Amino acid sequence: AIMKKQNYEFYLTILLVLIHSSTFSQILSIDHADNNVIGWSGYTEIDFDYNKSTKTDWELVNNTYLKFRWSQFAFIFMNEIDLNRAGNSVLPNVGYQHLRSIYDFNTNLSIEAFLQNQYDLVQNIKNRRLLGLGIKTQIRDSNYLGVSIFYEHENLIDNYLNTCYRLNVYNQLTFHLLNNIILSSFLYLQPRINDISDLRLSFRTNISIPIYKQIFFSVTTLFSHDSSPAISIPKTNYQILNGLKYKF
């Protein structure tokens, strides 16, 4: 009976993830796991991926996540640098820096503010800056639902300048499977406030498999859609990343 229950929970987990993926990057996913760890926590990760887009043949990604928690306050810093091969050139042409502060009213409700600087020459984005404010609630364990509004200042390669306000709705689900395997999914929806047909969608899944102590083998899939991308850039992109993650 116990084995049947475990199998049922495992297949239910996979089903929930598939339901999410059928819904539908340029959207940054924030991991809110380990929310109650006092002091410093985080991870650094190195990934290699195959990227279906207009220029990129391969991509080497370094992603660092740092979090400091004190009492009801938390601060998150994220940095990513991507080395892309576009044609015959290998350049650090994709990256971001993200700073977020969080204040917990209680265990289930928090307010958060964030700043972000981003560039993505593969997607013809010279620079994109965000400033936002919102709330998030913990649904159950490490599962979250968040809503925020942010101001976007975007400069494209062709010197086209775009400024707007967007709504940001996200959902994070985390499942602890057998043998300390962790499965996470992130779903983001970002419509432009004065034109909801201008929409960005992103869905990311990650599975972390323990190798040795705090070292994990990581597999990440990303599916993103932008209804109004830069000129000559496809509306839909996907990525598959494999790499090593060190958690602390």
Side-chain angles (χ1 to χ4, degrees):
I2 295 176
M3 182 63 67
K4 288 183 178 180
K5 182 178 180 180
Q6 289 178 340
N7 290 338
Y8 171 79
E9 292 177 346
F10 177 78
Y11 289 124
L12 179 60
T13 297
I14 298 300
L15 178 61
L16 287 171
V17 172
L18 290 176
I19 290 174
H20 267 296
S21 61
S22 65
T23 310
F24 266 25
S25 163
Q26 302 173 30
I27 300 175
L28 175 61
S29 300
I30 306 296
D31 191 344
H32 292 282
D34 301 324
N35 190 52
N36 297 319
V37 176
I38 300 298
W40 290 99
S41 62
Y43 63 81
T44 184
E45 184 174 2
I46 297 178
D47 296 303
F48 182 82
D49 86 317
Y50 166 76
N51 184 2
K52 172 62 177 176
S53 188
T54 57
K55 303 175 183 178
T56 303
D57 298 319
W58 57 260
E59 183 178 9
L60 184 66
V61 183
N62 174 241
N63 184 15
T64 300
Y65 175 100
L66 294 174
K67 183 175 183 178
F68 179 77
R69 168 167 286 280
W70 174 72
S71 185
Q72 294 173 277
F73 295 91
F75 301 92
I76 295 174
F77 175 73
M78 298 181 66
N79 182 74
E80 181 175 301
I81 298 177
D82 298 9
L83 294 175
N84 292 310
R85 178 182 177 182
N88 296 321
S89 301
V90 179
L91 299 170
N93 48 14
V94 178
Y96 65 78
Q97 296 78 41
H98 182 94
L99 180 63
R100 178 173 297 235
S101 61
I102 302 171
Y103 176 79
D104 296 330
F105 292 109
N106 51 52
T107 56
N108 295 319
L109 183 63
S110 305
I111 185 171
E112 50 187 6
F114 57 90
L115 291 167
Q116 182 175 312
N117 179 66
Q118 179 182 7
Y119 58 94
D120 190 338
L121 303 186
V122 175
Q123 300 292 331
N124 286 345
I125 300 171
K126 184 183 295 184
N127 183 252
R128 177 187 289 165
R129 298 175 185 177
L130 308 180
L131 173 63
L133 180 69
I135 60 171
K136 70 178 177 73
T137 181
Q138 183 172 238
I139 304 171
R140 180 171 178 256
D141 298 330
S142 296
N143 301 322
Y144 295 90
L145 178 66
V147 179
S148 61
I149 295 176
F150 64 85
Y151 172 75
E152 176 180 272
H153 183 279
E154 182 180 59
N155 190 8
L156 302 181
I157 295 297
D158 58 4
N159 292 321
Y160 176 77
L161 181 63
N162 175 54
T163 59
C164 68
Y165 288 90
R166 288 185 181 273
L167 179 68
N168 177 46
V169 181
Y170 69 86
N171 175 229
Q172 175 184 342
L173 299 177
T174 302
F175 305 95
H176 295 269
L177 307 179
L178 301 176
N179 300 319
N180 295 320
I181 297 174
I182 301 174
L183 177 65
S184 301
S185 70
F186 304 83
L187 179 65
Y188 281 78
L189 174 66
Q190 294 182 345
R192 185 167 177 163
I193 290 181
N194 62 345
D195 181 10
I196 61 173
S197 64
D198 185 346
L199 179 67
R200 293 180 190 144
L201 294 168
S202 176
F203 176 73
R204 181 170 74 93
T205 62
N206 174 266
I207 184 166
S208 295
I209 303 172
I211 297 177
Y212 178 74
K213 293 185 177 179
Q214 296 166 283
I215 300 176
F216 293 77
F217 175 71
S218 176
V219 179
T220 300
T221 60
L222 173 64
F223 183 73
S224 61
H225 177 82
D226 187 345
S227 64
S228 302
I231 296 175
S232 77
I233 299 300
K235 292 184 177 182
T236 301
N237 294 284
Y238 66 85
Q239 289 179 294
I240 303 172
L241 300 95
N242 299 289
L244 295 176
K245 178 187 292 185
Y246 173 73
K247 291 186 175 182
F248 57 89

